[in-house]
Amino acid sequence: MKKYVSLFLALIMIFTLASCGGRTDENTTVSLPAVAAERAAVEQAGAIATQQYIIARLKTEVLIEYDIENGSIDELKAMTDDTLEAWRLCELASVQAAELADYAQSLRSSASTQAATMFYTSSSPARIGLFTMVAYAAEENAAVKWAKELTEKYDSYPAGQKVKQLSENLGTDAKNAFAQLKMAQAILEGAAYNDEADTIQKYENAAMATKTACKTGLYIGGVIASGGTATGILEAGGMVISGVDTIVDIASTGSTIILGENNKVTMAANDLKDIVGPIASIAGGVNVFSGDSIKAGIKAGAEFSKQMGSLDKLNYIGESVLDLVSEGKILGGTITVGDDGETTVTMTEISTEGKTPDEVAKELKEVGLPVPEEGEPKTAAELAEEIEEEYYYTEEELNEVIENLRNLLYEMFLDSEEEPMETPPAEEPTEESTAPPAEAIGGLSIDEIVGTYDIVLSNDDGDTEEIQNVYSKNENGQLVLNGGAMDYDPITGTSTYTHTFDDGDYITQTLVFSSENGRISISGTILAVGKGTATTYIKGTKID
């Protein structure tokens, strides 16, 4: 093990931060700023395509489960026609979402997304400072890993590319499913000329082939866990995420959709592992907004600028969140969307080891997470009816939404192309003037220094380690790293941070930002004083 790791663990011990690592009463929260209109438009189109796909898949399940002995061929014909229409609309929505993503890319708008920020909350007093992340990481806390990933990557999430990939996956499935179901429909049309039993058998085979033609996995979280959802999660661990009704994993080889219920997605760890396997792509959550979103927006004919807030969006929630779910622990998250479009994700990890289901349920309630409950799972028909009532779009409504989103993108592009106000030319330097030095320390605004830095850490023994830090700015104009706010003086280019504990131990960090030939660099020290003294040296360069 490299000595730099030992050094940081020593710092943790000096300030008794190890107690932070294994706690279950501390939450990690990430604030995701409202995204630019370009990203919002593409994400909303992706959410609509996802919802239409879910409706079509559930209706296909209903066909496969249809009890012909207690039904009729005429009823089955009507259901087949209805499912074909659902697949047609799904393909339309998917194609339009992919085209909108291409259109957004072609405009090459200058819109950007602010970086996410991370902070910690606790239900009991705790020492939380600069090295809290290290303490958590030492305990392999999945909630903090999730939070750190969101914080580092949210502003660089390639929304257009990923939504286009998802739309292409869904569109391919829709086209294949429609063609296969057309064959099943033809079998029913010939029922009058064939033996009924033979007709039904051929129809069932064709309908089943419709399902297998889909490369996107659709799983209903909460009803497939062996032994019951509540028992499976509360005893063995799993995932409990409230605030979204769907989680989508987007990959080039095929997407995975986990459908929740009642504004939450729950799944036992064993089921998730069997379904998803290793995850190395993008996970998104389809948000549920308060109120009757569709009827309050598109179907009521409101101005589109007012409809944007009522449309669902495919909100980025991480690249490997599903892969962080493991047996013996519950990975929980609460996702809320404010009126201003800002999304807050609060994560926590709860161990199930050595605890009864009632004890685990109590801990879930204490951190504000829903408790999985036992109950009769809903049928595919019931789920399809519920989702269709909320999210169904006619072809005319789909066209209207996409056209409005397209217009919004174009208006935003025009705004970004407006001529900037003319500024008077800079005065020519006089002979008395002095050119600035090649390296200027200070004079850098906080907006210039925020970003990602490649950093080399070293100690007095000469050991080094390379890391990457992402600095952002909070609403108070302070520099932020991993949730810790630091004062910054733009005149001197110096940032300082000091945290003193109750027993007098303290950490002091001093950073100096400088610019040389247009390239911004960082240097400084972290001094830890407790039972002993340790110094870590920082040197790095901004890369974005």
Side-chain angles (χ1 to χ4, degrees):
M1 180 181 295
K2 296 184 179 180
K3 291 185 178 180
Y4 131 85
V5 177
S6 299
L7 169 63
F8 273 84
L9 292 180
L11 292 176
I12 296 168
M13 293 177 66
I14 288 174
F15 300 106
T16 61
L17 286 174
S19 60
C20 297
R23 300 191 64 89
T24 59
D25 55 358
E26 290 173 359
N27 296 330
T28 308
T29 301
V30 173
S31 177
L32 309 177
V35 299
E38 174 187 5
R39 177 164 162 180
V42 175
E43 287 176 345
Q44 287 169 338
I48 291 171
T50 301
Q51 290 154 347
Q52 302 315 298
Y53 182 87
I54 291 172
I55 292 171
R57 279 290 296 270
L58 288 174
K59 288 190 172 187
T60 302
E61 292 287 344
V62 175
L63 291 181
I64 294 172
E65 297 171 0
Y66 185 73
D67 183 5
I68 190 62
E69 293 183 3
N70 296 308
S72 68
I73 288 183
D74 287 340
E75 183 180 34
L76 190 57
K77 283 181 180 179
M79 291 170 59
T80 302
D81 292 344
D82 184 51
T83 305
L84 277 167
E85 176 64 6
W87 279 118
R88 187 185 73 82
L89 291 174
C90 173
E91 183 180 6
L92 175 63
S94 300
V95 170
Q96 289 180 331
E99 289 176 348
L100 189 72
D102 283 338
Y103 182 65
Q105 179 66 26
S106 70
L107 292 179
R108 299 184 182 279
S109 168
S110 60
S112 61
T113 298
Q114 297 178 4
T117 57
M118 178 171 62
F119 54 95
Y120 302 90
T121 57
S122 175
S123 59
S124 64
R127 292 179 172 183
I128 298 178
L130 186 63
F131 293 98
T132 302
M133 175 60 69
V134 181
Y136 272 110
E139 295 292 330
E140 296 294 317
N141 188 294
V144 175
K145 289 183 179 179
W146 179 13
K148 184 178 180 182
E149 178 187 276
L150 266 182
T151 306
E152 293 177 345
K153 300 182 180 179
Y154 179 69
D155 59 335
S156 61
Y157 165 53
Q161 297 174 30
K162 287 300 177 182
V163 171
K164 181 181 179 182
Q165 181 65 67
L166 172 66
S167 301
E168 289 176 347
N169 292 344
L170 302 184
T172 299
D173 277 6
K175 182 179 293 186
N176 293 339
F178 185 88
Q180 192 66 44
L181 200 55
K182 266 291 188 181
M183 295 173 60
Q185 183 188 49
I187 292 171
L188 287 183
E189 295 296 335
Y193 310 101
N194 300 294
D195 176 71
E196 181 173 311
D198 183 56
T199 296
I200 294 303
Q201 183 61 52
K202 290 180 179 179
Y203 177 86
E204 289 177 349
N205 292 340
M208 182 62 73
T210 301
K211 178 180 177 179
T212 57
C214 296
K215 303 304 180 185
T216 299
L218 175 65
Y219 303 97
I220 304 171
V223 301
I224 65 169
S226 57
T229 301
T231 301
I233 294 178
L234 297 179
E235 289 185 351
M239 175 179 66
V240 178
I241 298 179
S242 66
V244 296
D245 63 358
T246 306
I247 291 180
V248 184
D249 176 62
I250 308 170
S252 59
T253 55
S255 302
T256 300
I257 299 173
I258 302 175
L259 179 62
E261 188 179 354
N262 299 326
N263 202 22
K264 64 179 181 292
V265 177
T266 59
M267 184 164 283
N270 287 336
D271 293 314
L272 190 62
K273 183 173 67 174
D274 293 341
I275 290 170
V276 181
I279 297 297
S281 49
I282 301 292
V286 178
N287 283 102
V288 177
F289 289 83
S290 60
D292 195 340
S293 61
I294 300 301
K295 293 178 181 177
I298 305 303
K299 295 187 177 181
E303 292 182 11
F304 191 72
S305 60
K306 297 179 181 179
Q307 297 172 10
M308 285 287 287
S310 65
L311 287 174
D312 294 330
K313 67 173 182 176
L314 192 66
N315 191 16
Y316 171 60
I317 61 172
E319 292 193 9
S320 60
V321 60
L322 302 181
D323 203 29
L324 296 175
V325 179
S326 61
E327 294 181 36
K329 295 180 180 179
I330 294 177
L331 178 63
T334 302
I335 301 173
T336 56
V337 180
D339 294 336
D340 58 356
E342 179 176 326
T343 299
T344 302
V345 186
T346 300
M347 306 90 154
T348 191
E349 183 182 89
I350 294 176
S351 173
T352 62
E353 298 290 339
K355 300 174 185 176
T356 66
D358 288 342
E359 290 172 333
V360 176
K362 182 180 178 182
E363 289 192 36
L364 285 171
K365 290 180 180 179
E366 288 175 348
V367 296
L369 289 171
V371 178
E373 299 177 355
E374 298 288 3
E376 286 295 322
K378 292 182 179 180
T379 64
E382 291 171 332
L383 287 170
E385 183 177 354
E386 286 184 4
I387 296 173
E388 186 174 36
E389 182 178 350
E390 181 72 18
Y391 298 116
Y392 175 78
Y393 287 80
T394 64
E395 180 174 351
E396 291 74 18
E397 289 166 345
L398 282 174
N399 291 335
E400 179 187 355
V401 172
I402 298 299
E403 182 61 26
N404 283 330
L405 289 173
R406 187 181 180 91
N407 290 337
L408 182 71
L409 288 171
Y410 185 65
E411 290 171 7
M412 182 189 65
F413 170 71
L414 290 180
D415 290 341
S416 68
E417 289 291 291
E418 289 181 355
E419 290 288 335
M421 295 181 61
E422 290 188 7
T423 56
E427 295 182 3
E428 292 293 330
T430 64
E431 293 183 359
E432 291 81 10
S433 65
T434 303
E439 179 174 358
I441 297 178
L444 295 171
S445 69
I446 191 169
D447 291 322
E448 290 177 288
I449 66 172
V450 295
T452 304
Y453 289 74
D454 280 339
I455 290 175
V456 176
L457 300 175
S458 62
N459 59 19
D460 290 327
D461 293 331
D463 302 300
T464 62
E465 181 71 12
E466 296 181 358
I467 65 169
Q468 195 172 84
N469 279 349
V470 179
Y471 295 89
S472 58
K473 181 181 73 171
N474 65 16
E475 59 186 7
N476 297 321
Q478 294 175 296
L479 195 64
V480 176
L481 172 65
N482 291 339
M486 300 168 280
D487 293 328
Y488 175 69
D489 183 357
I491 297 176
T492 63
T494 303
S495 171
T496 58
Y497 174 94
T498 298
H499 182 85
T500 303
F501 299 104
D502 295 337
D503 55 9
D505 297 347
Y506 65 90
I507 297 173
T508 296
Q509 175 182 257
T510 302
L511 300 175
V512 178
F513 294 86
S514 60
S515 176
E516 181 177 3
N517 298 325
R519 191 168 189 179
I520 297 176
S521 300
I522 182 175
S523 60
T525 60
I526 301 173
L527 175 66
V529 179
K531 293 180 180 179
T533 300
T535 303
T536 301
Y537 303 95
I538 302 169
K539 194 170 184 63
T541 305
K542 186 179 179 184
I543 61 173
D544 70 354

